[in-house]
């Protein structure tokens, strides 16, 4: 699990979660980190993305390589 303090950094523009054996991405990433431009979450065990992925208006780079994605909204 990611620390709740992470979501208090609302001006965060780059988040690297590579290689953390994550099964999913917390919906809070997409709801609270509105300035996020780059999200790197490759080399995890993520199987699907939440619908809220579309709530990141500034997202330019999304790295999800080497996961177990079955569904992408």
């Amino acid at each position: 699990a990611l620390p709740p303090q992470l979501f208090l950094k609302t001006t965060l523009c780059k988040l690297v979660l590579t290689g953390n054996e994550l099964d999913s991405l917390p919906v809070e990433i997409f709801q609270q980190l509105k300035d996020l431009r780059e999200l790197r979450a490759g080399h995890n065990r993520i199987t699907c993305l939440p619908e809220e992925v579309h709530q990141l208006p500034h997202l330019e780079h999304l790295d999800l390589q080497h996961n177990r994605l079955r569904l992408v909204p």
Side-chain angles (χ1 to χ4, degrees):
L2 298 176
Q5 301 89 332
L6 174 68
F7 306 110
L8 299 176
K9 308 258 185 216
T10 57
T11 58
L12 191 69
C13 62
K14 180 178 181 180
L15 180 58
V16 179
L17 300 172
T18 304
N20 282 292
E21 299 183 5
L22 298 173
D23 294 321
S24 62
L25 292 173
V27 70
E28 291 88 356
I29 289 175
F30 308 102
Q31 292 175 335
Q32 297 175 350
L33 302 178
K34 297 295 186 188
D35 289 336
L36 201 61
R37 294 186 183 279
E38 183 175 347
L39 175 56
R40 295 184 179 268
H43 298 274
N44 283 293
R45 296 181 292 197
I46 299 167
T47 57
C48 64
L49 293 176
E51 290 290 329
E52 290 81 3
V53 70
H54 300 289
Q55 293 181 8
L56 294 174
H58 303 291
L59 190 64
E60 297 172 355
H61 183 86
L62 177 60
D63 176 8
L64 295 169
Q65 65 181 338
H66 301 286
N67 275 288
R68 300 175 182 172
L69 286 173
R70 290 180 278 142
L71 178 64
V72 178

